[in-house]
Structures are given as C-alpha cells and as structure tokens.
Amino acid sequence: MRTQTPKLGHKTLLFLLCFIGFLTPHDVVAVQILSKSKLEKCEKTSDSGNLNCTKKIVLNMAIPSGTSGGEASIVAEIVEVEENSSQKMQNFRIPPVLTVNKSAAYALYELTYIRDVAFKPEEYYVKTRKCERDADAKVVKICERLRDENDHIIEHTEPICCPCGPQRRVPSSCGNVFDKLMKGKANTAHCVRFPGDWFHVFGIGQRSVGFSVLVQVKTGSKVSEVLVGPENRTAISNDNFVRVNLIGDFVGYTNIPSFEDFYLVIPRQGGPGQPQNLGRNLSMWMLLERVRFSLDGVECNKIGVSYEAFNGQPNFCSSPFWSCLHNQLWNFWEADQNRIERNQLPLYGVEGRFERINQHPNAGTHSFSIGVTEVINTNLLIELSADDVEYVYQRSPGKILSINVPMFEALTQFGTATITTTNTGEVEASYSLTFDCSSDVTLMEEQFLIMKPKETTTRAFKLYPATDQAAKYVCAAILKDSDYKEVDRAECQFSTTSTVLDNGSQGNPFNPPKTGTTGFFDSVESIWNNLWNILVDFVTGKTCSGCATVASTSKGTF
Ligand SMILES: *[C@@H]1O[C@H](CO)[C@@H](O)[C@H](O)[C@H]1NC(C)=O
Ligand SMILES: *[C@@H]1O[C@H](CO)[C@@H](O)[C@H](O)[C@H]1NC(C)=O
Ligand SMILES: *[C@@H]1O[C@H](CO)[C@@H](O)[C@H](O)[C@H]1NC(C)=O
Ligand SMILES: *[C@@H]1O[C@H](CO)[C@@H](O)[C@H](O)[C@H]1NC(C)=O
Ligand SMILES: *[C@@H]1O[C@H](CO)[C@@H](O)[C@H](O)[C@H]1NC(C)=O
Ligand SMILES: *[C@@H]1O[C@H](CO)[C@@H](O)[C@H](O)[C@H]1NC(C)=O
C-alpha cells in the first residue's frame, strides 16, 4: 500500500484505491479517482455487453496522458468498496490489482489523392535561327515539341520563339547583317520541361483522435483484460469479469491542428498516379497551403504549373527568364533547408515539426497521423463482477502499541514514523490507520490493514515538514475499525530544529544519524547558519534515544 502521491489528503483517501506505483518511464502522473468504488446491483438491460452478475464493483477514474501526450501507465490496488452508500466499507480478502496502460494519443487525417506535380519545373532556351513551333530537334533541340506514346503531339509543348535583342527574356545579340541574310534572323526558343522528381499531392480531410486504454485486472492468479478506445468505447473481458466504459468526449483537445486548408505532398513512390504505399521516409513530406497550388495547372507561379500556363503567359518574350515558374516545391524545400541550417523549425516539412508521425497503431501504407502532444485525462468507468469476491469485514477492537520516529537523516527534510498496531479481539478484521500532524506537516495518506487476532502490524508514514524553520509538531495516530469507528488514538509531539553542516558530533547524546555528519544540539546558536531542519526528539516524558515511543494507554495526555 505504497503511494507516490503524498499530497492526497485524509478525505481524498476515502477513495479507496491505493496506488502501488506509476510505471511511466519518465513521468509520474497523479491519477484522479472520481468516485469511491461502490458495490452496486447488476442490472440486466437488453443491451448486450453487460456483466453477467448480481453485484458489481463500480469505480470511476481519470487517467492523464504522459508528457507530450505520450504513453502512461498506472497500477492501483482496490482495497475497499463501499456498500450501497452507507459509508460501510468492505475490505477485499484478495484486493484486485488494476493496471491501466494508456497509449499515446494521435490525430489521424483522411487523405485523398489529387494529382502528381513536378518538384522543379525548369525553363530551357536554345539560341537558334529559324525557330518555329514545329521546328525539329536539329533547330530547337530540347524544346522540340513533345509527343505521347501514340505519337500524338502533346499540346502546348511547342517552343515559344523570341526574337533576338537586348530587352528579351534572354537578351541575345542579333549578329551582323551578313549572318542575318545567310542563316536567318537570330532568335531564342523557350520551353518548360519537368526533368526532375515528381511528388504526389493529397487533400487532407477529417481528422480523428485515437488512443487505446488497456485495463488489466489481476485477482489472485486470475487475469482479465479489456481494451477500449474512442472507437470501441465499451468493452468487456472474455471471462465476463471486467467491463470498461470510456466516458465523455475529447473536447478537451484544443491544439490539434486542422489541415483542411493544406495539401500534403510526398515524393512519388514508384510510378505516376495514386500510390499504393506512401513509404516510411518522411524527410521530404511537406504540408503547403492549398492556395499555392494550381490543380488544373493553368496558373503561373503555382505548384502544378502546366505547359499551357507557361506557354500562354502574356508578354512572353519581354518577361524575365523563368517567369511563371516561381513558388514551386523546390523553392519551399530550399527555404526549409535554410531555416534548418539556422536552427529554426521548418515551415513546410513535417519532420521536426510534429511528433510521432505515422506511429499510430495499425498505421497502414496509406495514412497520415501526428502525435497529440496535449496532456488529456481519459475518464474510465470500470465495473468488476463482485459475485465471487470475498471480503474481510468483521469488526474487532484494536490498539496502537507504539509510534516510532527515528531521527530524520541529516540533509533530508523528511522522516518516517512507524506505527505498530494490534488486533486485540477474537476475529480477523479490517482497520484504517491515519497519522495527522499539525498543519505544517503535509497530510499523510490513510492506510488500510487487515489483522488476524493478536497479530501486530507496523505501518510507515512519511513526514514532510513544510517549513525549514525550527518548529514543534503535534500528531495523532487514529485506528478505526471496519465500521469506521475510532478504536484507539495516540498523540505525540516532535520538534525540529535547525542545524549546521559541520562535521563533528559535538557531544550528541543520541545515536547519530547514519551519515554521522551533523551535530544536533549545539546548533541553536547556529540558526543563522541554518541549512536543514532535523527532527530532534519526541516530547514523550522519556529521554528520546533516537526515537520516540508513545504508549497508546496514555493517549491524549502529552
Ligand atoms: C450468467 O451466469 C449464470 C450463472 O453462472 C449462467 O447460468 C448463465 O447462463 C449466464 N448467462 C449468460 C448470458 O452468460
Ligand atoms: C444495501 O444494503 C442493505 C443491507 O445490507 C441490503 O438489504 C440492500 O439490499 C442493499 N441495497 C442495495 C441497493 O444493494
Ligand atoms: C503496461 O505498461 C507497462 C509499462 O510500460 C508495461 O511494463 C506493462 O507490461 C504493460 N502492461 C500490459 C498489460 O501491457
Ligand atoms: C472494436 O470492436 C470491433 C468489434 O468488436 C473489433 O472488430 C475491432 O477490432 C475493435 N477495435 C479496436 C480498436 O479495438
Ligand atoms: C529519405 O529520403 C531522402 C531524400 O530522398 C534521402 O536522402 C534519405 O537517404 C532517405 N532516407 C532513408 C532512410 O531512406
Ligand atoms: C568528518 O570528520 C571525520 C573525522 O574527523 C573525517 O574522517 C571525515 O572525512 C569528515 N567528513 C567530512 C564530510 O568532512
């Protein structure tokens, strides 16, 4: 019954789950228990997916995500259950241990293939004479008009011929009169070609948020598992023992981007046209605003520019070389590379800008997802069939035998109180034990225990004084029986004082702490030199030899 949430207060502790530990590798998350675990009647409704039981344990909890929306895992033990809101608690003989593993959350986007576009359309020109639309390769070389596989001329691929002169697209000398007469007038032939890589363009549609939560319940040697997620919000274990319901919406997510105004471009995989597989190499995947594209290719200076747009541009011969071919994929790619060299985030590339791209479960060959980095609680309603559960719920008196507080270790600011209790009655029974100190000590979590007749049990409570000034504290240990009635109480006091970090045990009459580096009692003069508070003693009427003992028979008399 160890906990890593020491701040839970006494009242919170009625929530009856006892956290054994948080297994998240880098992150300790606090789980919120939204209600007590309750024992309820199983109602038979017409729905399928009900537990086949007469009684069930119902609990409600919130599981946060790990850092950056990553995986989270918690383990909790259900120690008690409340019988029909009577405040009467029942303890399990074999407490079910609950493990909840929540996967990282992701946003998955629908993709619609649109078309392929060239990465880098290029303008070519050839200095020639006799440039004509239908000139052959001897005259216009690369700018000869193109034919398709059926030998049909491809429209708008013919060269555009510009006369020579200084004010031209490519300024050129017109040569001498003799050349002009003999060979024809000098000119330049211009054309656009798409020699390099091609990219697939996808429209981005609706997004859906996904994650999965695996709930495992171990009772003795029996293990039951249930997997739920936004698609399957309710599920039941194969053995009909556990039912889990994911409650509520994911309205909490506020910063999942919507890419409805963007297209996704990825390098062509294999041939032209819609790819079967988008591949796993994300290094050149980019998201670009839709307005940067011309889907029919008829606009200049947009991604997807066509032969038609290029050849049809107005004032062709007097416009600058390469006009109509700006703002292409390669320009955006290079802009990103410049930013990356300056250690800035890319503006268009997806890598480096998003986490866990396409790492969702069952990521297929044709998907686009990004990790959701927001930390969000998932509310779960967990029901366990309670028909075969055994309880320990007999009542028996008990006593607190001792409270023992060893000195705080030097250089730490907390210590551990150990409280020994015994069952003074005739039957095995459950108890609760609390240890509360005056307000300057952080509230400690209530502990639940089961003791056989005459059995003694020792429980530890960590003390965290909130102040680093010398102070006195009054504490009370309270033992309650299974009906939550107080059966014994012991009070005690302790004080802390300041100390110095010097290295000598200046006549310390007590067992020095393990590190042996601190003088405890000559330090009053050294308060100005104070670094750490150290628990000195319990005021018990006895000389404290490193610990304090309080007999429960003398309760309330300090
Ligand atoms: C429910 O459990 C009872 C007793 O174990 C059994 O007889 C009955 O067939 C079960 N019903 C269903 C729907 O599984
Ligand atoms: C509540 O407890 C009483 C006494 O044990 C019992 O008679 C009653 O049926 C219980 N009610 C429910 C709803 O379980
Ligand atoms: C839950 O997660 C923890 C930590 O990641 C892992 O050790 C454990 O095996 C997981 N449990 C199940 C049932 O997958
Ligand atoms: C949801 O349930 C259906 C039918 O029970 C199952 O086929 C599917 O795999 C489940 N999906 C997830 C994500 O568990
Ligand atoms: C991914 O693609 C880039 C650009 O095409 C290439 O340089 C890189 O080697 C590829 N990486 C892998 C792992 O194939
Ligand atoms: C403390 O004193 C002892 C004995 O004088 C010495 O051996 C030890 O190194 C000292 N420790 C520190 C931390 O100064």
Side-chain angles (χ1 to χ4, degrees), residues 312-327:
Q313 60 185 290
N315 308 317
F316 189 99
C317 289
S318 57
S319 301
F321 187 52
W322 212 269
S323 59
C324 193
L325 302 183
H326 299 300
N327 300 326

Side-chain angles (χ1 to χ4, degrees), residues 419-448:
I419 300 176
T420 305
T421 54
T422 188
N423 176 346
T424 54
E426 303 297 321
V427 291
E428 180 180 16
S430 60
Y431 299 86
S432 94
L433 183 63
T434 53
F435 189 56
D436 286 348
C437 297
S438 39
S439 56
D440 283 345
V441 177
T442 309
L443 222 44
M444 284 161 284
E445 196 161 340
E446 181 174 25
Q447 300 198 18
F448 299 94

Side-chain angles (χ1 to χ4, degrees), residues 59-245:
L59 53 122
N60 199 329
M61 63 202 293
I63 314 291
S65 327
T67 3
S68 299
E71 295 175 9
S73 178
I74 65 130
V75 180
E77 192 171 77
I78 309 169
V79 289
E80 283 198 333
V81 64
E82 183 186 42
E83 176 110 55
N84 62 34
S85 58
S86 58
Q87 277 262 316
K88 189 181 166 209
M89 307 316 267
Q90 298 201 1
N91 284 65
F92 296 103
R93 184 172 295 278
I94 306 171
V97 175
L98 205 65
T99 306
V100 182
N101 281 7
K102 183 177 168 185
S103 74
Y106 58 87
L108 177 64
Y109 296 85
E110 276 175 11
L111 295 182
T112 317
Y113 172 75
I114 295 178
R115 56 166 295 198
D116 285 4
V117 294
F119 181 64
K120 183 172 185 179
E122 295 194 46
E123 177 172 354
Y124 291 89
Y125 75 95
V126 179
K127 283 190 181 163
T128 182
R129 296 171 193 267
K130 301 177 191 158
C131 173
E132 295 287 347
R133 292 166 58 86
D134 57 356
D136 66 19
K138 273 182 240 142
V139 177
V140 294
K141 303 205 167 75
I142 191 175
C143 287
E144 182 190 16
R145 62 190 177 179
L146 303 175
R147 289 170 186 274
D148 64 17
E149 58 271 26
N150 300 321
D151 210 33
H152 295 136
I153 288 165
I154 301 175
E155 275 194 279
H156 308 297
T157 61
E158 69 281 357
I160 305 278
C161 303
C162 292
C164 60
Q167 304 296 322
R168 301 302 180 200
R169 196 166 176 99
V170 175
S172 63
S173 149
C174 291
N176 56 36
V177 177
F178 178 74
D179 277 351
K180 186 173 164 184
L181 284 175
M182 294 299 293
K183 301 181 190 163
K185 193 170 178 185
N187 48 26
T188 48
H190 296 257
C191 58
V192 65
R193 294 291 180 261
F194 306 105
D197 297 327
W198 285 71
F199 277 61
H200 302 299
V201 179
F202 296 91
I204 303 177
Q206 281 198 323
R207 64 178 179 212
S208 52
V209 174
F211 57 82
S212 63
V213 180
L214 179 69
V215 178
Q216 190 193 60
V217 181
K218 265 193 204 155
T219 319
S221 58
K222 192 171 86 161
V223 179
S224 313
E225 277 187 357
V226 175
L227 185 67
V228 290
E231 275 142 35
N232 290 0
R233 287 162 162 265
T234 302
I236 198 158
S237 64
N238 291 333
D239 57 6
N240 210 274
F241 179 64
V242 189
R243 180 176 185 266
V244 178
N245 186 3

Side-chain angles (χ1 to χ4, degrees), residues 280-299:
R280 310 284 311 169
N281 188 344
L282 306 171
S283 67
M284 290 189 88
W285 288 33
M286 287 187 279
L287 287 167
L288 292 156
E289 293 90 333
R290 292 190 170 197
V291 294
R292 300 186 190 276
F293 290 77
S294 174
L295 294 186
D296 52 12
V298 297
E299 276 180 87

